[in-house]
Amino acid sequence: MRDATVRLGYLAETVRLLYPGTGAPRAYTLLPHAALPRRLAPRRWWHPGAPVEVPVEGSIAAHLSEVFQRPVETVLHVRPARRANRKPVLEAHAGGRRLAYVKIGDTDRARALIGAEAAALRRLAGLPLRTVAAPAVLHHGEWRGLAVLALSPLPVPAPPRRRPVSGPLLVEAVKEIAATGGDRPAWHGDLAPWNLCRSRDGRLLVWDWERYEIGVPYGFDAVHHFFHRTLRRAAPPAAARACVTRAAKVLAPSACRPPPPGAPRCATSPRSPNGTPPTATRRSARRTPGSTRPSNTRSC
């Protein structure tokens, strides 16, 4: 089945879900065109193709107008229907600018993911992040039995620079995300290339925090990123083999576990308190019965 056909079928289901009213319809347009549907946007005089009539009264657009206390127009993203974690995603616009990206939880799985993202972003909002920039939660609630999560837009450069993120910036981001867990490492959980963009001020813009988790293996965000970059140019089995083969090399730059806030940082080449390299410390420990590794050294 053609991708356009699948998208249009899912679009019809989503429109019935989010625009269920029976009032006077408004004209929308499939963009860039019906044969390649990507967005359903309020119709403008220059839009090509036939209009799509969508009722606005009692719709998600009306609900968001109440949430933001101003008239809101919505742009519905026409997403692939075969994604396991699919959910409706919209843009909320008012006064000619984008107010928010809005995720709709229309299944138990989607509601759980949206709830997890809201909790993760609220946690991150209270932390002094320097490398990573995450969206802010503008609204999290329910509408007609659906979960609704509105997130602030991030300052994406125009035109968007979707170049691969540099190695040093990615390493710093992995470390900073891991440190948000405090004594236990955290990860973003889906640090794929399409969820990242370098900002004009040098920070890393990061979206989709639905799988953020604390108490996980340190550094696996870096391996996840490498796997998805490899998957773009290799078949899944080959990408998986490359991931296993190069995991140690990928993890090496960020292999030092970040200390809790306020604790001394681990050096690139860790040493014991008396300046002895860790290998020598281990040899000394083996030579001295009953000796143990100093408790304030860190494993890298």
Side-chain angles (χ1 to χ4, degrees), residues 236-256:
R241 287 193 294 270
C243 192
V244 172
T245 301
R246 298 192 58 185
K249 183 177 181 180
V250 171
L251 286 167
S254 55
C256 176

Side-chain angles (χ1 to χ4, degrees), residues 218-256:
Y218 176 74
F220 271 32
D221 270 339
V223 177
H224 184 90
H225 183 82
F226 171 80
F227 174 73
H228 279 286
R229 285 187 59 188
T230 307
L231 201 56
R232 289 181 165 183
R233 59 182 183 272
R241 287 193 294 270
C243 192
V244 172
T245 301
R246 298 192 58 185
K249 183 177 181 180
V250 171
L251 286 167
S254 55
C256 176

